[in-house]
Amino acid sequence: MNPTLRGVVYVSVWVVIWGTVASLMDWLLLAGEVYGTGSSGQAVTFIAYAAATVVLATRFSNRFLTSGVNDGNSDGNDGSDPD
């Protein structure tokens, strides 16, 4: 897969994860009347989940963005060392 496309897909998946999880938590907090619609608590909820998502996405990025990037050699040798 093209590295640029891989990066776009990776970020897109994390945006969907952030939106889904933050929205579910927001719904629970609104239903529990912890805060009201449009309040600063609602903004804090989405910002906090965004920060957590950025941390997780950054930690997992090497695993997903660099796997399979080499030229297809399964032995991990990139062919630059003739020995």
Side-chain angles (χ1 to χ4, degrees):
M1 181 184 287
N2 179 341
T4 302
L5 180 60
R6 183 183 286 244
V8 169
V9 169
Y10 185 77
V11 170
S12 298
V13 167
W14 279 104
V15 168
V16 170
I17 291 170
W18 163 70
T20 303
V21 173
S23 294
L24 288 172
M25 185 53 65
D26 178 56
W27 175 72
L28 288 171
L29 293 171
L30 285 170
E33 297 180 2
V34 174
Y35 56 66
T37 303
S39 68
S40 60
Q42 196 169 29
V44 168
T45 298
F46 280 91
I47 291 168
Y49 277 93
T53 303
V54 167
V55 169
L56 288 173
T58 303
R59 288 189 182 222
F60 290 122
S61 64
N62 285 340
R63 183 177 295 171
F64 292 99
L65 295 178
T66 59
S67 64
V69 173
N70 64 15
D71 63 352
N73 291 334
S74 61
D75 63 358
N77 186 359
D78 63 359
S80 62
D81 185 13
D83 291 339

